[in-house]
Amino acid sequence: MDSAGNNCLLDARGISREFQTSEGPLEVLRGIDLQVYQGDMMAVVGESGVGKSTLLHILGGLDRPDSGEITLMGESILERNEAELALFRNRHVGFVFQHHYLLEDFTAIENVMMPSLIAGHSVTEASRRAEQLLAEVGLSDRMKHRPRQLSGGEQQRVAVARALVNEPGLVIADEPSGNLDLKNGEKLHKLLSQLNISRGTTFLLATHNLDLARSCRKMVMLEYGRVKEIVVN
Ligand SMILES: Nc1ncnc2c1ncn2[C@@H]1O[C@H](COP(=O)(O)OP(=O)(O)O)[C@@H](O)[C@H]1O
Ligand SMILES: [Mg+2]
């Protein structure tokens, strides 16, 4: 627990990761310790190439570190096999990336329903949740649109709704505004902050936009593969 009595949702210790490249091993993460607490709105910042995406992928169970331990919602995730991990992610972690990764042949509401159906909810329940979320992200009048019929900002808001449909404990967003212009980027970050407050959803997001990062309550600064500083605003 933290000083305010919030539960620790994510506890990462000693996370290291290197990649093999033609020029030899590239040490990207060199022992990262990070705790994310229930209700946090936390931004990971650092120069391009510093390892933000690598870290977020590992913390969300999309990639494995070379060493270290990760406890997510009280479960040690690195001991799970790929199938168990996929199931765990579907239930407990929502992802938003720079690209929306919406399925082009499906409407906005169908895209948002998908993870809920995969989790075993009925069509009625999945569509109830999807409608509610699309309303919360301001897209009640775009539910039947396909991704191609939506603006970049709208596509990202659908992706946010999809990430939240299974009410995950943690949402990991890697440069969610990276493809948006400044105005739409700000709008998206405002939406994430609103959802953090209204739903109590915990967000861990990477951004290279310092203004947007400063609007988050906590800011983790990465440098040379380590946590340089954690700023609490
Ligand atoms: N699969 C990979 N193989 C080799 N190098 C990689 C791989 N993924 C990332 N890298 C390198 O690791 C470093 C960190 O990348 P990344 O985590 O994407 O940084 P950021 O998200 O902070 O821009 C970069 O130098 C990148 O080129
Ligand atoms: Mg990145």
Side-chain angles (χ1 to χ4, degrees):
M1 278 203 245
D2 66 3
S3 55
N6 292 313
N7 281 325
C8 186
L9 288 189
L10 172 68
D11 187 6
R13 308 266 169 181
I15 302 300
S16 299
R17 181 75 166 98
E18 65 174 38
F19 294 110
Q20 303 308 324
T21 71
S22 51
E23 284 135 58
L26 175 71
E27 251 189 299
V28 176
L29 305 176
R30 306 168 188 235
I32 301 258
D33 295 326
L34 190 66
Q35 285 77 44
V36 180
Y37 294 91
Q38 174 83 50
D40 267 350
M41 183 84 200
M42 185 185 264
V44 177
V45 297
E47 283 180 13
S48 178
V50 78
K52 302 182 293 297
S53 296
T54 304
L55 179 64
L56 261 51
H57 283 90
I58 288 173
L59 297 180
L62 292 171
D63 182 23
R64 290 180 190 261
D66 298 317
S67 57
E69 285 170 32
I70 303 172
T71 309
L72 197 52
M73 325 292 156
E75 302 245 2
S76 179
I77 62 166
L78 298 177
E79 289 157 16
R80 292 171 174 252
N81 66 32
E82 292 310 314
E84 290 170 339
L85 204 50
L87 195 68
F88 185 83
R89 282 196 307 263
N90 174 260
R91 300 261 158 86
H92 300 292
V93 191
F95 291 94
V96 182
F97 300 98
Q98 186 167 345
H99 179 74
H100 56 71
Y101 294 113
L102 297 171
L103 300 171
E104 297 290 350
D105 294 335
F106 293 86
T107 62
I109 189 164
E110 288 166 347
N111 267 283
V112 178
M113 286 169 68
M114 208 72 76
S116 176
L117 294 173
I118 291 168
H121 298 131
S122 67
V123 173
T124 314
E125 173 62 9
S127 64
R128 187 191 65 77
R129 287 175 177 227
E131 259 180 57
Q132 166 71 30
L133 270 162
L134 284 168
E136 284 178 45
V137 303
L139 293 175
S140 288
D141 54 353
R142 297 284 188 280
M143 292 203 277
K144 299 280 169 60
H145 284 54
R146 285 171 203 261
R148 251 187 275 274
Q149 300 167 320
L150 298 168
S151 72
E154 289 169 344
Q155 289 166 347
Q156 280 305 72
R157 283 187 276 150
V158 176
V160 169
R162 180 183 55 183
L164 288 168
V165 75
N166 285 339
E167 298 175 348
L170 176 67
V171 173
I172 290 181
D174 188 6
E175 307 272 4
S177 58
N179 282 343
L180 304 178
D181 58 49
L182 203 60
K183 188 167 142 261
N184 278 299
E186 277 174 15
K187 215 170 142 187
L188 188 80
H189 278 247
K190 270 206 189 98
L191 171 67
L192 299 183
S193 297
Q194 272 166 18
L195 293 166
N196 170 250
I197 293 164
S198 63
R199 290 188 160 243
T201 307
T202 306
F203 285 96
L204 178 63
L205 63 109
T207 178
H208 59 255
N209 183 327
L210 273 182
D211 287 335
L212 295 179
R214 285 197 193 98
S215 71
C216 292
R217 210 172 70 76
K218 293 182 187 172
M219 197 162 83
V220 181
M221 304 170 93
L222 294 189
E223 201 177 79
Y224 308 123
R226 296 211 168 82
V227 174
K228 185 185 171 209
E229 198 183 352
I230 298 182
V231 180
V232 180
N233 294 313

